[in-house]
Amino acid sequence: MRKELSILIIVILGVFLALIAVDLTFGAPDNSAMDDYFIRNGQEQAATNNIVTTVVFDYRGFDTLGESTVLFTAVIGVALMYRKLVKGDADENE
Amino acid sequence: MIETIIHVLVIAGLVVSAILVFHFRDLLAAALASALFSFLISLEFYILQAPDVAISQAAIGAGLTTAIFILAIRSTKRYEEDIP
Amino acid sequence: MRMSKIVRFSADVLFGAILIFGFYIILHGHLTPGGGFQGGAVVATGAALVIVAYSYEEVLHMIKKAGLMLQESAGLVMFAGVALIALGLGTTFFFNYLANSGLLFGMSVPFGPNPGELNTGGVLPLMNIAVGIEVWGGLAIVILYMLSGISKAEEA
């Protein structure tokens, strides 16, 4: 009974996701004013051929700063968590 | 037409590798099947013209995650046991 | 615990190639797909290969934890510092003050498809290098800490 129920749920979920995927269109967004601005002015304003990098590091640089801070905080968290485990190391001076 | 065939092949490979992850009792083989899943997703991103995301997925999904899984398997058991 | 000789030799051979590919992605981040995060993740994958192949004591002789931590902090400080210099010059935060200036990375780019030139992009290559250094150090030290955790668990 449980097995049939889980198979039914999986099939319903799969059909649902497949129906969504059928209607998707790639490469033709509805609102493209911002994209057109970046594509038209990116090479001139940032002197870069790669528009993706221009958006990530120049137009949206503040987001990238936040992303780097998140990565830094995550690594600090992992280091703190493992600190007690590796405390006995002789060749570490932390 | 040829693009649709490649899409169908990649997605079929995704489903097969996901079932393999579930099916393997050897956990090292399951970790490698999970790496194959990540690699096929990265291939799909590349076909959908997102090479940046494809590089990230290949490096993190297929490289670093598999390394963490292998480290975990090295410190525990390699074979899955039957659930009582 | 270490892996077999085949795994260790393959890791030694592949490490250099992965490192060079990652540096290529970081340095050409403003010309080809990729950038600091992607290139740093590729380099960290090479470091993870070595970390997985060797035992904890051997890895500690090759890679220092304090060095990786310093590298990660230096990357973030360099990233914020490059952005803060723009405030000192009287413009906005994250302004691209080196673009089209003729100085370092200061060549102009014509509109439309063109072959590209490494000496362009203003502050973007500097930021790519900073983020690449940070992601490399951060992801490598996460794997190294996990290895140190399991090596302690094996002894107990």
Side-chain angles (χ1 to χ4, degrees):
Chain A
M1 182 58 203
R2 253 181 83 183
K3 203 175 172 189
E4 283 88 2
L5 194 67
S6 49
I7 288 177
L8 187 71
I9 289 174
I10 288 172
V11 166
I12 289 175
L13 209 62
V15 169
F16 182 65
L17 290 178
L19 281 182
I20 291 177
V22 164
D23 277 346
L24 281 184
T25 54
F26 292 104
D30 288 337
N31 302 316
S32 63
M34 208 72 195
D35 316 350
D36 290 341
Y37 178 80
F38 287 150
I39 291 169
R40 245 185 286 112
N41 298 320
Q43 276 179 316
E44 181 198 336
Q45 288 176 350
T48 316
N49 276 335
N50 191 350
I51 302 293
V52 177
T53 308
T54 311
V55 172
V56 167
F57 284 104
D58 195 334
Y59 291 114
R60 300 281 181 268
F62 204 71
D63 289 356
T64 311
L65 181 65
E67 183 188 321
S68 305
T69 316
V70 165
L71 181 71
F72 185 78
T73 319
V75 171
I76 294 290
V78 170
L80 280 179
M81 205 173 78
Y82 276 87
R83 201 184 151 142
K84 272 200 168 161
L85 272 172
V86 297
K87 215 172 191 176
D89 283 351
D91 51 347
E92 285 292 317
N93 48 0
E94 46 186 355
Chain B
M1 187 59 206
I2 190 93
E3 200 178 338
T4 313
I5 294 173
I6 294 174
H7 273 299
V8 168
L9 281 180
V10 169
I11 291 172
L14 277 177
V15 172
V16 168
S17 59
I19 291 174
L20 280 182
V21 173
F22 179 72
H23 185 257
F24 277 135
R25 311 294 286 182
D26 185 352
L27 291 177
L28 193 60
L32 290 181
S34 154
L36 176 69
F37 182 85
S38 287
F39 176 73
L40 284 174
I41 280 194
S42 127
L43 196 63
E44 179 71 25
F45 279 137
Y46 184 73
I47 295 169
L48 291 176
Q49 300 181 7
D52 295 271
V53 191
I55 296 172
S56 304
Q57 178 70 30
I60 292 181
L64 291 174
T65 314
T66 313
I68 291 175
F69 278 146
I70 289 176
L71 284 180
I73 291 169
R74 258 171 65 171
S75 69
T76 54
K77 283 184 227 159
R78 182 168 167 179
Y79 292 97
E80 191 179 341
E81 290 169 359
D82 286 327
I83 304 164
Chain C
M1 181 186 158
R2 66 211 290 214
M3 295 228 172
S4 68
K5 194 172 177 61
I6 300 172
V7 176
R8 277 179 282 135
F9 181 75
S10 313
D12 285 345
V13 170
L14 282 176
F15 180 64
I18 294 175
L19 211 64
I20 288 173
F21 183 60
F23 286 155
Y24 164 77
I25 291 179
I26 292 176
L27 281 179
H28 289 77
H30 56 297
L31 298 176
T32 53
F37 186 81
Q38 285 89 354
V42 169
V43 177
T45 307
L49 188 65
V50 173
I51 289 172
V52 166
Y54 285 89
S55 74
Y56 181 54
E57 288 75 21
E58 286 169 316
V59 169
L60 274 190
H61 283 120
M62 288 184 260
I63 310 170
K64 294 278 178 251
K65 262 185 217 157
L68 284 178
M69 212 55 158
L70 183 73
Q71 191 182 338
E72 196 207 0
S73 314
L76 190 55
V77 167
M78 180 179 163
F79 183 70
V82 168
L84 275 175
I85 288 174
L87 278 183
L89 293 176
T91 51
T92 52
F93 199 43
F94 276 103
F95 183 75
N96 198 341
Y97 49 90
L98 279 178
N100 305 319
S101 69
L103 300 172
L104 182 69
F105 297 122
M107 275 176 64
S108 300
V109 167
F111 184 75
N114 55 336
E117 169 73 38
L118 191 62
N119 194 16
T120 56
V123 299
L124 298 188
L126 296 176
M127 286 180 172
N128 270 323
I129 292 169
V131 172
I133 289 172
E134 191 212 339
V135 172
W136 172 14
L139 293 182
I141 204 169
V142 165
I143 306 246
L144 196 55
Y145 264 113
M146 292 194 168
L147 180 68
S148 68
I150 70 164
S151 73
K152 285 293 165 187
E154 272 171 6
E155 286 170 13

